[in-house]
Amino acid sequence: MKSVDVLLDGQSLVTPRSIAAEILSIKSNPVNERDKLAAESELAIILNLAGQQIEKQMEPDQIHGMLGAGLHALRAKSSPAIWQHLIALAQSHPIASYFLQDPFTRWSFVKPRGYSGDAQLIDFIYGHPSLNDEIAKSTPTGLALYEVNRNSSASRAVRERRDLLTQHIDEIAGSRGGDAEILTIAAGHLREANNSVALHQQRIKRWVALDQDPMSIGSIRRDFADTCIEAVDGSVRSLLTNAHDLGTFDFVYAAGLYDYLNDKVSIKLTRKCLQMLKPNGVFMFANFSEDIIADGYMETFMNWALLLRTEEDMWRIMRASTDDGVFDCFVRFGENRNIVYGFMRKIG
């Protein structure tokens, strides 16, 4: 697994450290030493039990399941500051090497592209053929752990998100009579386009896919060279500083970006996206919700930190982004409530 240098613009920097800093700035309280010691003890029990199960060669799905449940419960009752302390302890524990046999977990922890949630990582969730060689290098235990992780409730929600995006794109294209214009922000590898009937039937006028990772941009240009899709090198910062003249769109969406943006930046970006909507155009943004149960494992052994949001958090961003009566807004959850979606339709 080779690391590559990706130039990030600072505004869009996505690292566990930046996420932790944001969480602590929102929910900072003095650390109670008694609570800290109690949490350390509970973590030690969870990790040592997993170590004993590994020594007994229990099935990977059983080990992973019990560990994940324990970490989720501990995270839920720990203060943000204590939990950040526990993350470092978990990552340095001897059992970490067991879980890093999973190519999905290892990719997330190592971050070959230099940041969290890169497009290649999401391809592990999709089981995309481009990763077959990487996956084939894994040990039997690693392959078993990979199956557990790619079939977790969080991973299922990500695959559902891809399919929902395809559905919305095709519905909007169908309602615009071949004149639909679409903007994807933080497009990644744009896998939702692969199954778009409207794209395959050339019923989309223009589809702009914006991403700041040059490897993702290259992938999009290669995979969709003969389509209406235009890959644009851009980021949150470049959008907010008006570095692009992209025009207006019938559908603008950011599916895997807001998980890493604080409220201040989220509101600024939402306002910018709303300015790029045509009449009756729709803006959609998605976020992992606080109902997710894989959070403890993701933040420890995967080193994958997220800003989780509630339904009210989504409403707060939407209310702060526009005046009443200008947009028709609603919030919905995915089937297993691991991802929450905000929709804003421009009235008139």
Side-chain angles (χ1 to χ4, degrees), residues 11 17 27 48 53 59 63 69 104 114 144 149 153 162 169 196 200 207 250 297 326 332 335:
Q11 182 77 48
R17 181 175 296 180
K27 305 176 180 179
N48 291 336
Q53 293 167 344
E59 291 298 319
I63 298 172
F104 180 28
N149 277 327
S153 58
R162 173 199 58 194
I169 288 163
S196 169
H200 294 160
W207 188 340
D250 299 283
Y297 180 83
V326 180
R332 60 160 289 190
E335 184 176 356

Side-chain angles (χ1 to χ4, degrees), residues 3 23-24 31 65 76 94 107 111 113 115 118 121 125 135 164 174 183 225 230 233 252 271 282 284 307 337-338 346:
S3 295
I23 292 172
L24 292 176
V31 174
W107 186 280
K111 300 182 182 5
R113 292 197 183 182
Y115 63 99
D118 66 76
L121 179 70
I125 295 176
I135 294 169
L164 287 173
L183 170 62
E230 175 191 356
D233 186 358
V252 177
R271 288 173 177 166
V282 175
M284 187 279 288
L307 289 174
R337 296 184 64 86
N338 275 214
K346 187 174 183 179

Side-chain angles (χ1 to χ4, degrees), residues 32-318:
N32 182 296
E33 286 301 319
R34 181 177 296 179
D35 291 343
K36 179 181 176 183
L37 289 173
E40 288 177 350
S41 297
E42 186 168 346
L43 177 66
I45 292 171
I46 294 170
L47 300 180
N48 291 336
L49 177 59
Q52 293 170 13
Q53 293 167 344
I54 293 169
E55 289 179 359
K56 293 178 181 178
Q57 298 185 339
M58 289 179 59
E59 291 298 319
D61 61 334
Q62 295 178 299
I63 298 172
H64 188 286
M66 286 185 277
L67 174 76
L71 291 174
H72 171 68
L74 181 56
R75 181 188 185 278
K77 63 184 180 182
S78 299
S79 71
I82 289 177
W83 177 245
Q84 292 303 316
H85 170 68
L86 297 180
I87 288 174
L89 295 181
Q91 291 175 349
S92 62
H93 195 276
I95 68 167
S97 60
Y98 175 84
F99 295 100
L100 288 173
Q101 293 178 79
D102 165 25
F104 180 28
T105 296
R106 186 170 64 252
W107 186 280
S108 180
F109 189 87
V110 175
K111 300 182 182 5
R113 292 197 183 182
Y115 63 99
S116 296
D118 66 76
Q120 200 88 322
L121 179 70
I122 304 304
D123 275 350
F124 277 104
I125 295 176
Y126 296 155
H128 194 268
S130 63
L131 293 171
N132 286 349
D133 290 343
E134 185 72 33
I135 294 169
K137 301 174 186 176
S138 304
T139 64
T141 296
L143 292 175
L145 288 169
Y146 173 52
E147 286 304 308
V148 173
N149 277 327
R150 72 177 297 266
N151 288 300
S152 70
S153 58
S155 293
R156 293 199 306 272
V158 171
R159 291 192 291 273
E160 180 195 40
R161 182 182 67 188
R162 173 199 58 194
D163 296 340
L164 287 173
L165 291 172
T166 303
Q167 177 185 333
H168 285 301
I169 288 163
D170 285 352
E171 288 176 352
I172 288 175
S175 69
R176 299 303 194 270
D179 289 327
E181 296 183 87
I182 298 165
L183 170 62
T184 307
I185 300 172
H189 290 161
L190 202 69
R191 299 300 185 201
E192 59 268 25
N194 292 333
N195 292 324
S196 169
V197 174
L199 178 66
H200 294 160
Q201 294 181 351
Q202 299 181 346
R203 291 190 286 108
I204 298 174
K205 180 180 179 181
R206 186 170 68 114
W207 188 340
V208 176
L210 183 142
D211 201 282
Q212 69 170 4
D213 188 331
M215 296 185 71
S216 293
I217 291 296
S219 174
I220 294 171
R221 287 174 177 162
R222 180 192 67 238
D223 294 345
F224 302 103
D226 297 323
T227 72
C228 65
I229 293 174
E230 175 191 356
V232 174
D233 186 358
S235 65
V236 173
R237 179 183 291 276
S238 64
L239 277 176
L240 296 181
T241 56
N242 300 313
H244 310 281
D245 183 13
L246 300 177
T248 56
F249 300 89
D250 299 283
F251 186 37
V252 177
Y253 68 92
L257 177 61
Y258 278 64
D259 306 277
Y260 309 102
L261 303 180
N262 62 35
D263 276 13
K264 182 179 179 180
V265 177
S266 294
I267 291 166
K268 287 182 178 179
L269 179 60
T270 300
R271 288 173 177 166
K272 178 61 180 178
C273 291
L274 297 180
Q275 294 170 6
M276 294 188 287
L277 287 180
K278 298 179 183 179
N280 293 313
V282 175
F283 171 61
M284 187 279 288
F285 65 106
N287 214 109
F288 273 111
S289 80
E290 290 197 348
D291 292 346
I292 191 173
I293 60 174
D295 49 1
Y297 180 83
M298 292 169 68
E299 292 181 353
T300 53
F301 295 105
M302 298 186 79
N303 198 29
W304 188 2
L306 300 163
L307 289 174
L308 306 179
R309 285 191 166 97
T310 64
E311 181 176 1
E312 179 52 38
D313 292 333
M314 303 292 278
W315 276 111
R316 184 175 61 253
I317 291 171
M318 292 192 293

